[in-house]
Amino acid sequence: MTLEATASDVSRAAEFAKRLGKGIGADLTDLFSKADGIATNHLRTRDAWARYFEACRAQRLIAVGAYFRQAAFAGARMAGIQSIEMQHGLVARYQVNYSWPGAQPTEAAPTDMLFFGQHWIRSKKRH
């Protein structure tokens, strides 16, 4: 399985890198140079996780850091099992890995969140 960007995708990415680079004073010409390979690797890994979860008849995935385990969470969704991310605080609906305002959660988003600890209580008292 491979995923290749369309000509339109490449053009939009180049324009984005050019504008962002100009805004921050950096050369971002190669910012998206490995995007096709990264996307293809994600799809292959996601599919492997889904097959694993189905083979071992998993009922749920519980993990910390969905941002760093996107393929595993996407595989859990493909396998139709519950995926829970444990967090020490709240996650805003504007965080791209979970959702975008007005849109459904991404395929790699956990189905449920488990929050624990005093992080936000202590943090709020400092402000």
Side-chain angles (χ1 to χ4, degrees), residues 88-111:
H88 66 284
L90 297 176
V91 176
R93 69 186 195 107
Y94 296 98
Q95 288 181 273
V96 179
N97 193 53
Y98 301 109
S99 67
W100 193 255
Q104 293 295 318
T106 65
E107 73 160 11
T111 58

Side-chain angles (χ1 to χ4, degrees), residues 1-121:
M1 174 183 302
T2 60
L3 182 67
E4 295 180 21
T6 66
S8 175
D9 293 334
V10 172
S11 176
R12 287 177 41 221
E15 182 62 26
F16 171 79
K18 181 179 173 183
R19 286 183 178 184
L20 179 61
K22 184 178 179 182
I24 63 173
D27 180 6
L28 302 177
T29 305
D30 295 326
L31 182 64
F32 298 106
S33 65
K34 297 181 181 177
D36 289 347
I38 292 168
T40 297
N41 185 54
H42 168 79
L43 294 175
R44 288 178 178 160
T45 308
R46 175 198 69 183
D47 292 350
W49 274 109
R51 288 191 307 273
Y52 171 77
F53 291 136
E54 289 168 355
C56 70
R57 297 185 177 143
Q59 294 180 10
R60 76 184 47 88
L61 165 66
I62 302 173
V64 176
Y67 267 73
F68 306 107
R69 293 168 183 78
Q70 292 178 349
F73 277 85
R77 279 191 178 257
M78 284 182 70
I81 65 170
Q82 181 184 29
S83 57
I84 303 168
E85 178 171 2
M86 296 173 40
Q87 282 282 339
H88 66 284
L90 297 176
V91 176
R93 69 186 195 107
Y94 296 98
Q95 288 181 273
V96 179
N97 193 53
Y98 301 109
S99 67
W100 193 255
Q104 293 295 318
T106 65
E107 73 160 11
T111 58
D112 297 282
M113 303 288 285
L114 174 63
F115 299 106
F116 64 93
Q118 298 293 314
H119 173 76
W120 291 108
I121 295 169

